[in-house]
Amino acid sequence: MSTRRSRREADIPCAVMGALLGVVVLGMLGYGMAMSGLSFGAPSPQDLVQQSEERAEVAHVALWILLIGCALAGGLRLWRTLTTHLVIFGVGTLVLCAMAASR
């Protein structure tokens, strides 16, 4: 009974820290995606292919982080943390995947 209570008490601080960390990581992934699209002058066809591969890689990293975070929070039964992670990182991952698919 005490482990259930301690998990319940730890869920809110864990959700807050997960939300803050999720925002920071999504900012870094978005920055990486934005930087992968920069080129000087007219990009060559090889540059365009490389840029699209880099964007797809950033989207894949975001998807893996989303899946691993959901598995950890669900496995530990931290439901507020799971919900927070799904809302913040799920929406951010959808945005990153949409950006990767648009170019």
Side-chain angles (χ1 to χ4, degrees):
M1 190 66 127
S2 66
T3 59
R4 183 182 292 174
R5 181 170 291 154
S6 64
R7 261 193 259 150
R8 216 176 308 146
E9 291 171 356
D11 196 10
I12 293 174
C14 188
V16 171
M17 290 304 295
L20 292 174
L21 188 61
V23 169
V24 169
V25 170
L26 279 172
M28 291 170 52
L29 288 172
Y31 180 75
M33 187 170 282
M35 288 292 126
S36 70
L38 292 180
S39 65
F40 297 102
S44 65
Q46 292 89 5
D47 290 339
L48 293 175
V49 170
Q50 183 180 5
Q51 288 173 2
S52 66
E53 288 174 356
E54 290 171 355
R55 286 191 181 103
E57 186 176 342
V58 169
H60 282 112
V61 168
L63 281 170
W64 276 110
I65 292 172
L66 176 66
L67 292 175
I68 291 169
C70 289
L72 282 174
L76 294 173
R77 296 183 182 180
L78 300 172
W79 305 123
R80 289 181 183 110
T81 304
L82 176 64
T83 304
T84 304
H85 181 68
L86 280 173
V87 168
I88 291 177
F89 221 87
V91 171
T93 302
L94 285 175
V95 169
L96 290 176
C97 289
M99 287 174 59
S102 70
R103 297 189 183 199

